[in-house]
Amino acid sequence: MSSYTETRIDGVEFFPDKIMKLGLPLAVDDMSLANHLGIRGKTLWWLIHKRKSLYTLFTLPKRGRAGARGGRRSIQNPADSMKAVQKNLLVRFLEPLPMAEHIGAYVLGRSCKDTAAQHVGKSIIISMDIKDFFPSVRQSVIKRFFNEDIGYNYPVASLLAALVTYGNFVPQGAPTSGAIANIIANYTFDQKILNSLRQLDEGWTYTRYSDDIDISHPEKQSEERVQEIIRMVALHLKTGGFRLNTEKTKTEPYYKQQRVLGMVVNEKVNVPRWEFMRVRSLIHNCLMHGFKTQYSRADAKSTISLKSHIRGKLAFFKNVDAVKAQRLKDKFDIACEIYKDSKEDEVQFNADDS
């Protein structure tokens, strides 16, 4: 920060020229921060002191890249009072910060297809997964980022870090979590991985979509080089306070089906044929025989959860091929109109999915 002018208020240093250059609000204490967030000072402190009690905790089933189930994901959903302030914080303090091109998730205007497209036609793709991504984004690191990298004084940085965390970590459910997780990941390990890859070879492409890391190269690579890169990524993650989920690390050469974020990328971004055919067959059977006859076969707990599953798949297909997705959606909408949920369905859903 030596190139920026240090200013002190009540003996506390901050860097106003750097803050303003980034297009961020010039908050210098709790009152000015509260004003920028559209609340009163005492409301800010009430949120800080009560924040753990302002979240509802529940779990959701995890799904892997291919849709396979894998345990449950803990969700911390903020109350409306906290969520409203977090939305303002997102707009005023996080969204103005530039988001690097290698980051795909939680960025307005970017999709999983955009991320996958960067790996089309590569000779080799290395895919990795970060274990417990959001819970690994710690309050202390966020505080340090706002203080040392952005230029806010320590008290303001501490308040900002507290507002975007539950306990000591980023909650899965807050509107600020995706953006702050991206920022901290880029701050702690993304740039280090990119620099290491450039030192090896300028041909490497690196992307991160939330906790999914994909690295590709247009030329054939030795097994020794691939393992070197995996170790390098694991080391940078560890240094930044994150962990590599070694069970999900995989290498896909050009002569096999290469997938990034569930999409085939050998020649172009496409939905795996088997997955499209499975959903098409499922929708056809629902249209012909009704949802009640299909939900158990689809490993769903009720007709309502089956419909939710299909809608999710259609949304995924739409990102890749909107025309094909619309054809399936038209049939699905007809089936939904013919076989409307009965009260028995609602009771079964509440009993099984609660």
Side-chain angles (χ1 to χ4, degrees):
M1 289 188 186
S2 57
S3 61
Y4 295 97
T5 303
E6 175 186 318
T7 301
R8 288 179 176 268
I9 294 180
D10 295 332
V12 181
E13 66 176 28
F14 72 109
F15 295 81
D17 51 345
K18 182 169 187 177
I19 295 169
M20 290 186 290
K21 185 177 180 180
L22 291 168
L24 299 179
L26 192 59
V28 298
D29 55 21
D30 56 343
M31 297 304 294
S32 59
L33 175 60
N35 182 61
H36 286 302
L37 293 174
I39 57 177
R40 294 181 297 174
K42 66 177 184 180
T43 302
L44 171 64
W45 284 108
W46 180 82
L47 291 170
I48 296 296
H49 291 308
K50 297 288 186 180
R51 62 189 175 119
K52 284 202 72 172
S53 65
L54 295 175
Y55 286 83
T56 301
L57 311 183
F58 58 93
T59 63
L60 291 175
K62 287 184 180 180
R63 290 194 178 274
R65 293 188 183 204
R69 292 185 175 181
R72 299 189 71 83
R73 186 186 309 277
S74 298
I75 305 295
Q76 303 84 27
N77 188 48
D80 290 344
S81 56
M82 177 65 84
K83 188 174 294 185
V85 173
Q86 289 172 335
K87 286 180 178 179
N88 285 337
L89 193 155
L90 174 65
V91 173
R92 300 297 306 279
F93 290 85
L94 301 180
E95 288 183 347
L97 296 173
M99 202 63 69
E101 290 298 320
H102 64 268
I103 300 172
Y106 318 117
V107 182
L108 189 64
R110 300 182 194 177
S111 68
C112 54
K113 182 179 180 181
D114 296 327
T115 298
Q118 298 182 54
H119 300 282
V120 170
K122 299 300 180 73
S123 180
I124 189 168
I125 299 175
I126 308 169
S127 298
M128 289 169 273
D129 180 86
I130 303 171
K131 189 176 181 65
D132 300 325
F133 181 50
F134 276 36
S136 298
V137 182
R138 313 303 286 184
Q139 182 178 340
S140 58
V141 181
I142 299 171
K143 186 189 306 180
R144 187 168 71 245
F145 169 78
F146 278 121
N147 178 230
E148 297 179 0
D149 207 64
I150 299 301
Y152 286 114
N153 62 42
Y154 190 79
V156 170
S158 299
L159 290 170
L160 286 168
L163 287 171
V164 299
T165 51
Y166 168 82
N168 190 35
F169 61 90
V170 168
Q172 299 194 59
T176 48
S177 293
I180 197 66
N182 273 339
I183 290 167
I184 296 304
N186 190 56
Y187 172 66
T188 55
F189 64 81
D190 277 349
Q191 292 302 320
K192 294 178 181 178
I193 293 173
L194 283 165
N195 289 335
S196 295
L197 289 172
R198 292 190 193 103
Q199 290 174 11
L200 291 174
D201 186 339
E202 290 288 342
W204 289 102
T205 297
Y206 171 84
T207 63
R208 180 179 53 76
Y209 194 89
S210 188
D211 56 357
D212 290 318
I213 290 175
D214 291 283
I215 301 174
S216 63
H217 198 283
E219 298 175 359
K220 185 178 179 181
Q221 301 293 315
S222 67
E223 180 62 23
E224 290 77 11
R225 176 50 58 87
V226 170
Q227 292 304 316
E228 178 185 358
I229 288 174
I230 293 173
R231 288 193 297 271
M232 176 269 291
V233 171
L235 178 61
H236 286 317
L237 286 174
K238 184 178 180 180
T239 303
F242 296 80
R243 289 182 296 162
L244 184 67
N245 189 343
T246 56
E247 295 180 357
K248 293 187 178 182
T249 299
K250 61 179 181 179
T251 303
E252 296 175 327
Y254 69 93
Y255 51 83
K256 294 184 178 181
Q257 187 182 80
Q258 296 173 314
R259 288 191 293 169
V260 173
L261 302 174
M263 289 165 277
V264 179
V265 296
N266 292 71
E267 298 178 357
K268 65 177 183 178
V269 180
N270 207 350
V271 176
R273 179 175 174 78
W274 68 267
E275 187 172 8
F276 182 85
M277 295 300 291
R278 182 183 71 82
V279 176
R280 186 176 75 169
S281 175
L282 179 59
I283 291 175
H284 175 78
N285 289 337
C286 290
L287 181 61
M288 293 294 102
H289 310 291
F291 291 93
K292 284 185 177 181
T293 66
Q294 302 301 314
Y295 74 82
S296 59
R297 298 179 185 179
D299 198 26
K301 293 183 177 181
S302 68
T303 59
I304 295 177
S305 57
L306 171 59
K307 289 178 180 180
S308 178
H309 168 72
I310 294 175
R311 289 189 183 97
K313 288 296 181 182
L314 291 176
F316 171 62
F317 294 167
K318 184 178 179 181
N319 281 328
V320 183
D321 192 326
V323 175
K324 283 186 177 180
Q326 189 59 49
R327 291 173 187 162
L328 290 185
K329 185 177 183 303
D330 291 341
K331 290 185 178 180
F332 175 67
D333 289 343
I334 293 171
C336 287
E337 183 63 27
I338 294 174
Y339 304 100
K340 291 182 178 180
D341 290 320
S342 65
K343 291 183 179 180
E344 287 77 12
D345 292 328
E346 296 286 352
V347 171
Q348 184 175 13
F349 171 72
N350 291 332
D352 292 343
D353 288 359
S354 60

